[in-house]
Amino acid sequence: MKKIFSFFEIRYNLIFIMSLCMVGCDKVFDQPNVGSITPDEVWTNPDNVKLFVNNFYGILPAWNRFETFTEEGGESTINSFLGGRQQTTSSFPGEVNWENAYATIRGMNTFFREINMVPMEEEEKDLLKGEVYFLLAFQYFQMLKVYGGVPLVTELQDPLDSETTRVTRNTSLECFDFILQNLDRAIELLPHTWPASDLGRITKGAAMVVKADVLMLKASPLFNPSQYRLEYWNDAYEAYSNALIELNNTGKGLYTVGGPMAYTNMWYDKAGAQKEMILQVRYQFPDKTFSLAGQRPLSVSVGAAGSCQPTWEMVKAYPMKNGKAIDDIDSGYDPNYFWVDRDPRFYQTIVYNGATYGFPGETDRVQWIFPDVYPDGYLGQLGTRTGFYTRKQIDTTLSPNEVSQQAFDWPIIRYAEVLLNFAECAAEIGRPDIAKEQIVLVRQRAGIVDDGDGNYGLKAEVGVDREATIEAIMRERQIELAYEGKRFWDLRRRRMYDILNAYGTFHANGPYLADTRNTVADTTGMNLKDIADITGYFNSLLKAPPQGTSANDIINAVTDYRVEVIDRSTTNVIHIPETYYFWPLHPNWIQTNPNLVQNEGWDNGTFNPTIQ
């Protein structure tokens, strides 16, 4: 078996002791603080073994969003990834810290070596083994999807044996097989459900879904760029079918409380939303919180602004309330009223000029984004660069001084995504009809209004034609899973960087104050001068529009929307090359271990990360 670098062998013991010291009282798993203990003391105390396993849960991604690499977020300048200016020493989205990953893997291998000697019931050991088999597979899965094949290290080795610790890379196919073997072991040992006090731990259903995810990645164009492998897609389809049976049998499904508002309510109703949550990282105030201060307009935030602002490309992606794309002839879309009659998820995600965006004490507050509105205005130093803000995942029950107290759970996988993954596999094996059924389920929950034909706005080709169905699935994923850290990985998995490249660059829709504002003012005889007076007057108009005038008419009349590039520099072109479908190994890793081979396309590398 392959061995890990000697550096990791030495480093692990230090990490192990420090991590146990920092566990503390985490009410997510409700474990006591055991203070500083040595590795030898772990294996004689069952409680310490459980703490040891709890630490591995830290590898699960939490609030990891990559909107700056897709149309979900428009930065002031095109970053080096989008612009094709990366080097092997650059930082890459979702990259895995090689040293930490292998230190964790060594810890897991230590667990498997020692667990059978621990004085505890075999049933308890099996549950812990199931968790660690899953987490070991998940760690390798995270590395495989960004680098391709990596060294598989399965035994503890002598850290001083430099000849055998200089490991080589396994092929991607070997890594897929290893990951799947460990997931099968996990599925066999994990429970269907955990007690309420242990919510957040890995279940059998979660492991079955991740197994299906791994098989879908194995079948994907990312790893099979030059050939279609029906047998791989069949494997993934069957795995999702089995996973859905398990999920449904344990009470999982789409969260529907509040009808169309379920899409927002699930963040607040943490107990009820367990129905939809398949794999998650749990948060609880005051023990474990996070802050999205930078996502909120500065007027309702503290000390941060400027992150996660939707581009015009993202705003246009949302369909109408009837489910039809805005470029469909009969969709009912009016470019002068782009915010009217959109998919209900639009209003729960996008904050546009004139949208109601309430917070404590200001539940009917209107968000104005005119350039001169301080501090939230378009193109202002502290305002939005795109003309929009993101509402999704913001706890609007928190005041500006409470932004750091947010404690929404982070869904790594939720039921809606499983349905869409199942749909993708169904379309790939020639069952677009089954794929369409899953899309319809998601759209029904979202509040899309069907026009009577049962299509919920989907084109006639969806459910019949493979390509049209897959295109519909990807668009549905873009909307349903917006700002949940999925879009970037979807574009990689299906080798769809061409979508971003085709934009040329990202665009804003600047909400300038229109000259026609005086037409509205003249209806009441008021003279509008100062921007504060203007927005104050508009607020009063929106609450009580003049007879025959709607709030939407007022917003349209007083706003001159202009589509503009966000990045106004000379390097604002999006150009993601083919080589960016796999990340390079950092040169430091290769310097430490010369037996590692760099990926093709990077520093004259010769390792092919695809499946041969």
Side-chain angles (χ1 to χ4, degrees):
M1 293 293 181
K2 293 189 174 179
K3 307 179 183 182
I4 201 166
F5 312 129
S6 59
F7 174 77
F8 302 140
E9 296 276 348
I10 298 168
R11 183 173 183 267
Y12 171 70
N13 285 336
L14 296 175
I15 291 177
F16 170 77
I17 295 171
M18 291 173 62
S19 64
L20 284 180
C21 291
M22 293 186 294
V23 169
C25 183
D26 183 351
K27 291 189 178 180
V28 175
F29 291 141
D30 197 22
Q31 296 288 352
N33 188 334
V34 297
S36 178
I37 60 176
T38 66
D40 289 341
E41 292 175 310
V42 172
W43 311 111
T44 58
N45 186 323
D47 289 336
N48 288 346
V49 175
K50 294 175 184 177
L51 283 174
F52 186 78
V53 171
N54 282 356
N55 277 280
F56 295 141
Y57 274 82
I59 71 170
L60 296 179
W63 291 97
N64 59 324
R65 305 187 331 190
F66 303 93
E67 63 270 4
T68 57
F69 303 99
T70 75
E71 63 279 276
E72 288 180 324
E75 294 298 291
S76 58
T77 57
I78 295 297
N79 58 55
S80 62
F81 184 93
L82 291 170
R85 301 186 294 273
Q86 295 282 94
Q87 304 294 324
T88 53
T89 55
S90 300
S91 177
F92 284 78
E95 64 186 4
V96 178
N97 185 302
W98 193 271
E99 296 173 359
N100 288 348
Y102 277 108
T104 299
I105 289 167
R106 174 169 174 77
M108 294 176 181
N109 287 338
T110 300
F111 166 86
F112 286 119
R113 185 186 68 179
E114 303 290 347
I115 184 61
N116 290 330
M117 303 301 294
V118 177
M120 61 193 307
E121 296 295 329
E122 290 302 317
E123 183 178 355
E124 288 185 284
K125 291 181 184 179
D126 285 345
L127 289 176
L128 293 173
K129 287 179 182 178
E131 291 178 272
V132 179
Y133 278 130
F134 173 89
L135 293 165
L136 177 64
F138 197 89
Q139 179 69 85
Y140 276 113
F141 183 34
Q142 296 296 93
M143 299 177 75
L144 173 63
K145 73 179 184 180
V146 293
Y147 303 117
V150 297
L152 296 174
V153 180
T154 60
E155 293 181 356
L156 296 171
Q157 302 292 342
D158 180 359
L160 302 179
D161 188 355
S162 61
E163 291 300 319
T164 55
T165 55
R166 290 185 172 181
V167 295
T168 58
R169 296 177 71 175
N170 289 80
T171 67
S172 293
L173 188 57
E174 289 172 336
C175 290
F176 275 114
D177 290 343
F178 179 79
I179 292 167
L180 292 167
Q181 289 169 7
N182 280 280
L183 287 171
D184 283 337
R185 292 168 180 154
I187 291 167
E188 182 179 352
L189 296 173
L190 287 167
H192 298 287
T193 60
W194 289 90
S197 59
D198 280 322
L199 286 179
R201 304 199 90 95
I202 310 301
T203 63
K204 188 183 297 289
M208 293 176 73
V209 170
V210 172
K211 175 183 176 180
D213 290 350
V214 172
L215 286 167
M216 183 170 70
L217 184 67
K218 180 182 177 183
S220 71
L222 177 64
F223 280 93
N224 302 275
S226 59
Q227 56 183 314
Y228 169 82
R229 298 182 188 267
L230 177 60
E231 68 275 19
Y232 287 179
W233 284 111
N234 274 322
D235 289 343
Y237 176 83
E238 182 179 357
Y240 279 119
S241 298
N242 293 334
L244 282 167
I245 291 172
E246 168 68 17
L247 296 179
N248 294 338
N249 287 342
T250 54
K252 296 294 185 180
L254 291 174
Y255 173 83
T256 57
V257 177
M261 286 303 296
Y263 189 68
T264 287
N265 292 349
M266 75 172 75
W267 299 95
Y268 296 90
D269 182 10
K270 297 173 70 169
Q274 292 307 310
K275 179 180 179 66
E276 178 142 350
M277 300 301 173
I278 309 303
L279 180 62
Q280 66 190 112
V281 175
R282 304 202 72 205
Y283 288 79
Q284 179 175 310
F285 177 81
D287 303 287
K288 186 175 182 180
T289 63
F290 61 93
S291 174
L292 289 182
Q295 183 174 309
R296 295 163 60 131
L298 190 63
S299 63
V300 286
S301 185
V302 173
S307 69
C308 198
Q309 296 163 356
T311 68
W312 179 233
E313 283 76 16
M314 184 67 191
V315 172
K316 290 191 299 180
Y318 282 84
M320 302 297 289
K321 188 176 182 179
N322 58 22
K324 296 181 180 181
I326 64 172
D327 55 1
D328 286 354
I329 296 177
D330 59 346
S331 70
Y333 177 70
D334 184 342
N336 295 315
Y337 294 84
F338 67 81
W339 63 92
V340 174
D341 291 333
R342 301 296 289 271
D343 180 331
R345 291 169 293 187
F346 174 93
Y347 304 103
Q348 298 172 64
T349 307
I350 306 296
V351 180
Y352 55 91
N353 189 54
T356 300
Y357 193 16
F359 289 90
E362 298 182 282
T363 55
D364 60 350
R365 172 182 173 276
V366 176
Q367 182 66 55
W368 295 110
I369 311 177
F370 295 121
D372 293 328
V373 174
Y374 180 83
D376 301 341
Y378 174 59
L379 297 183
Q381 182 178 3
L382 303 174
T384 170
R385 295 173 298 275
T386 70
F388 304 96
Y389 288 99
T390 310
R391 182 194 301 263
K392 188 174 179 181
Q393 301 161 345
I394 291 293
D395 188 345
T396 58
T397 69
L398 299 178
S399 69
N401 291 327
E402 298 170 326
V403 292
S404 63
Q405 299 177 13
Q406 185 153 322
F408 287 163
D409 290 345
W410 176 249
I412 301 170
I413 302 172
R414 56 186 178 89
Y415 193 87
E417 183 185 5
V418 180
L419 293 180
L420 295 174
N421 290 352
F422 180 51
E424 184 176 339
C425 295
E428 288 286 9
I429 67 167
R431 294 303 307 271
D433 54 325
I434 294 178
K436 179 181 176 181
E437 292 172 3
Q438 315 312 310
I439 306 173
V440 166
L441 288 174
V442 174
R443 289 194 157 206
Q444 286 175 328
R445 192 272 293 274
I448 296 293
V449 177
D450 185 42
D451 60 8
D453 61 4
N455 289 329
Y456 286 84
L458 296 170
K459 295 180 179 180
E461 297 84 359
V462 177
V464 179
D465 176 74
R466 170 183 173 273
E467 291 298 329
T469 304
I470 290 176
E471 181 180 351
I473 292 167
M474 299 311 293
R475 176 163 293 200
E476 196 66 27
R477 290 181 66 89
Q478 182 182 12
I479 301 307
E480 173 67 24
L481 304 173
Y483 302 100
E484 294 183 36
K486 303 295 182 180
R487 177 64 172 169
F488 177 73
W489 302 109
D490 286 346
L491 295 175
R492 284 188 69 248
R493 178 169 52 79
R494 294 208 64 91
R495 288 185 174 260
M496 292 167 55
Y497 285 161
D498 57 301
I499 289 179
L500 301 180
N501 289 337
Y503 292 148
T505 192
F506 292 137
H507 294 83
N509 197 359
Y512 292 92
L513 197 59
D515 292 336
T516 55
R517 64 187 182 278
N518 286 320
T519 302
V520 179
D522 289 343
T523 63
T524 60
M526 293 185 67
N527 182 26
L528 305 180
K529 299 177 181 179
D530 182 80
I531 189 68
D533 293 337
I534 291 171
T535 53
Y537 173 54
F538 292 162
N539 287 342
S540 63
L541 281 181
L542 293 181
K543 294 177 181 178
Q547 186 174 3
T549 303
S550 70
N552 289 323
D553 290 334
I554 294 170
I555 295 171
N556 181 55
V558 301
T559 312
D560 175 15
Y561 287 101
R562 307 175 198 170
V563 176
E564 303 173 323
V565 297
I566 297 171
D567 182 352
R568 305 188 182 197
S569 71
T570 58
T571 58
N572 65 358
V573 177
I574 298 174
H575 176 69
I576 312 174
E578 284 284 315
T579 52
Y580 285 21
Y581 280 115
F582 286 98
W583 303 170
L585 304 189
H586 196 284
N588 290 349
W589 307 339
I590 297 175
Q591 183 177 7
T592 301
N593 176 14
N595 288 338
L596 291 176
V597 179
Q598 182 62 273
N599 279 336
E600 292 179 346
W602 299 94
D603 291 351
N604 300 313
T606 59
F607 185 89
N608 185 346
T610 65
I611 296 176
Q612 307 303 301

